[in-house]
Amino acid sequence: MVKDQSLVCKLNKSLYSLKQASRQWYEKLTEALCSKGFNHNMNDYSLFYKQQGDSVVYGAVYADDVLVTSTNQEEIGYLKAFLLDKFKINDLGNLHYFLGLEVLYKHDSVIMSQRKFVLDLLKEYNCLEYSVLSSPFDPNEKLKAKEGKPLEDPTSYRELIGKLNILTNTRLDIAFGVQHLSQFMQDLREPHLKATYHLLRYLKGDPTLGVFMSNIADWSVRAFCDFDWASYPDSRRSVSGYKSKKQETISLSSAEATYMSLRKVIGELVWLSRLLTELRVPSIHPIVVFCDSLSALNIAKNPVFHERTKHIEVDCHFVRKQLQEGLISLHHITTDQQLTYILTKSLTGIKHSSILGKLTVFSTPPTRGGVLKYII
């Protein structure tokens, strides 16, 4: 193939199979919805809502897919009729499959999983015949960037990590393992590939795990904060429990690492609070935040300058501001009750299963014959 830097490619068809540019489609859809009294959610521009008395209608947009829900069934019918008149749409009925997410309805809850995605992944990488492992990551193994034989063709590994990253939308139990394995994408080695197949063998144990969402009208929010100080041997950076993410800078103490992790969690809670307020959800303040570091709690609660905190970035002290304004309340929690260990450390099978049972992660129950039943 001859490469010519002066040539460009012409896109004959828009992405997502749209007949027009994605931006133009979104503007046209927005104009149509706003003409019917819908408003943009200022905290999430993919979400529209309309409130009229006690009735609220929500519409979530992703490319050319629209999810509609409401407290009034008639309002859903009116909106669908309007969209059908303005656009060529297909009414797929109740939500049961969306962007790889499978939705199972029960009488008291909804379970969202990626069962089919997991099974396809196991089949694609020939793991259906492998034995099952009890934890997603070997706690005795410490991966390093330059250790082991380089892979001859790293493309397949990179594709696999990308797919596993998508799976973390519903599988919190593999978030730490996927985040850790993503650190070696530029220089892949055989130990990294071995650890990835270890994770696939863990997924084979229960491909149906998903997020459990109860229909109980309880709007209380609880957050847990944890860290793993200087856990990366190559960079000495710490891992924050929120979203199992490597911190941007090197922490000089465990107290600083915890405080930075706390700042990330509370930043997300500020956004969540604004979102729920705009969605007319009853007040959830103060939001209870649990942390197992007394040093970090003392830093947040005590406005007096501390010699050991002078190197902490100023924006991290916004934790103290949110505490004073009443958005959050900070509480100490013992180590054995810390749920975010599953997001910051590789655990043994017993410890991993114990924490997983306390999170809102459930297996989708099979019906007779082992086939999942969906209420459509």
Side-chain angles (χ1 to χ4, degrees):
M1 179 181 294
V2 179
K3 295 183 179 180
D4 189 341
Q5 298 295 330
S6 64
L7 299 178
V8 296
C9 295
K10 178 184 177 182
L11 188 63
N12 293 321
K13 190 173 184 180
S14 177
L15 300 178
Y16 305 110
S17 302
L18 296 175
K19 294 183 179 180
Q20 60 195 106
S22 303
R23 187 180 183 87
Q24 294 298 319
W25 152 251
Y26 181 76
E27 290 182 358
K28 188 174 182 179
L29 178 62
T30 299
E31 181 182 353
L33 289 174
C34 291
S35 70
K36 296 297 291 182
F38 280 82
N39 298 307
H40 256 134
N41 185 290
M42 299 305 295
N43 294 282
D44 188 342
Y45 254 52
S46 65
L47 183 63
F48 296 82
Y49 70 94
K50 175 184 177 182
Q51 185 173 19
Q52 192 170 12
D54 296 333
S55 175
V56 184
V57 188
Y58 300 106
V61 179
Y62 182 85
D64 58 344
D65 295 316
V66 182
L67 299 181
V68 179
T69 186
S70 174
T71 56
N72 188 333
Q73 191 67 30
E74 292 183 358
E75 290 292 338
I76 296 179
Y78 295 149
L79 178 58
K80 289 195 294 186
F82 170 74
L83 293 176
L84 183 60
D85 181 61
K86 288 288 184 180
F87 310 98
K88 184 180 179 181
I89 65 172
N90 294 320
D91 183 2
L92 302 180
N94 286 354
L95 177 66
H96 60 93
Y97 191 84
F98 183 71
L99 300 178
L101 301 177
E102 299 179 52
V103 182
L104 173 66
Y105 296 91
K106 300 180 66 179
H107 70 282
D108 61 345
S109 61
V110 169
I111 299 179
M112 301 182 66
S113 72
Q114 293 170 277
R115 179 190 61 93
K116 184 178 183 301
F117 188 89
V118 175
L119 293 176
D120 290 344
L121 204 59
L122 294 174
K123 182 178 180 180
E124 180 181 357
Y125 289 90
N126 302 315
C127 292
L128 291 175
E129 303 299 325
Y130 288 0
S131 59
V132 174
L133 296 175
S134 59
S135 64
F137 211 80
D138 186 353
N140 298 318
E141 186 172 16
K142 301 295 182 182
L143 297 179
K144 295 184 178 181
K146 301 297 182 179
E147 190 175 85
K149 181 181 178 181
L151 296 181
E152 295 181 359
D153 182 14
T155 303
S156 179
Y157 176 93
R158 289 172 178 151
E159 291 178 352
L160 176 55
I161 294 299
K163 292 176 181 179
L164 290 172
N165 192 48
I166 295 175
L167 188 57
T168 58
N169 290 326
T170 57
R171 296 293 297 262
L172 298 176
D173 52 326
I174 67 169
F176 172 76
V178 174
Q179 178 270 145
H180 193 63
L181 292 169
S182 300
Q183 308 302 314
F184 312 108
M185 299 286 275
Q186 293 182 340
D187 187 10
L188 301 172
R189 309 272 173 151
E190 288 185 351
H192 309 151
L193 182 61
K194 180 181 177 182
T196 307
Y197 273 88
H198 181 112
L199 197 151
L200 287 174
R201 292 171 63 184
Y202 164 77
L203 288 174
K204 184 191 173 185
D206 192 350
T208 70
L209 280 179
V211 178
F212 175 85
M213 306 175 72
S214 173
N215 63 2
I216 299 175
D218 180 8
W219 299 105
S220 60
V221 177
R222 294 187 300 166
F224 293 79
C225 172
D226 188 35
F227 76 103
D228 192 13
W229 184 37
S231 59
Y232 284 93
D234 299 301
S235 64
R236 308 312 297 172
R237 293 190 184 183
S238 305
V239 177
S240 292
Y242 170 64
K243 287 188 176 180
S244 187
K245 188 175 181 180
K246 184 169 63 174
Q247 294 183 356
E248 291 85 356
T249 58
I250 299 175
S251 301
L252 302 183
S253 66
S254 59
E256 180 186 353
T258 311
Y259 201 55
M260 292 179 65
S261 178
L262 195 60
R263 186 258 181 271
K264 289 291 185 181
V265 173
I266 295 176
E268 189 72 10
L269 291 177
V270 170
W271 170 83
L272 180 62
S273 175
R274 292 171 180 168
L275 176 64
L276 295 179
T277 299
E278 194 170 1
L279 296 180
R280 306 299 193 272
V281 171
S283 176
I284 59 175
H285 302 162
I287 300 174
V288 178
V289 180
F290 294 102
C291 179
D292 60 0
S293 173
L294 288 173
S295 299
L297 296 181
N298 291 333
I299 294 172
K301 293 179 179 180
N302 192 345
V304 179
F305 177 81
H306 291 277
E307 179 67 21
R308 63 178 177 175
T309 64
K310 64 182 181 181
H311 53 273
I312 297 179
E313 297 180 16
V314 175
D315 69 327
C316 285
H317 290 296
F318 119 107
V319 173
R320 185 179 300 158
K321 178 182 177 182
Q322 301 305 323
L323 178 64
Q324 294 171 346
E325 292 180 353
L327 175 71
I328 62 169
S329 63
L330 295 176
H331 302 269
H332 182 255
I333 190 174
T334 58
T335 302
D336 60 333
Q337 294 178 309
Q338 179 60 269
L339 301 184
T340 49
Y341 274 172
I342 202 171
L343 298 175
T344 60
K345 301 173 181 67
S346 55
L347 306 172
T348 62
I350 296 177
K351 184 66 174 178
H352 181 86
S353 299
S354 175
I355 295 178
L356 190 61
K358 300 175 183 178
L359 297 173
T360 56
V361 179
F362 285 71
S363 298
T364 51
T367 59
R368 187 178 304 172
V371 180
L372 291 177
K373 180 180 180 181
Y374 293 94
I375 303 175
I376 308 303

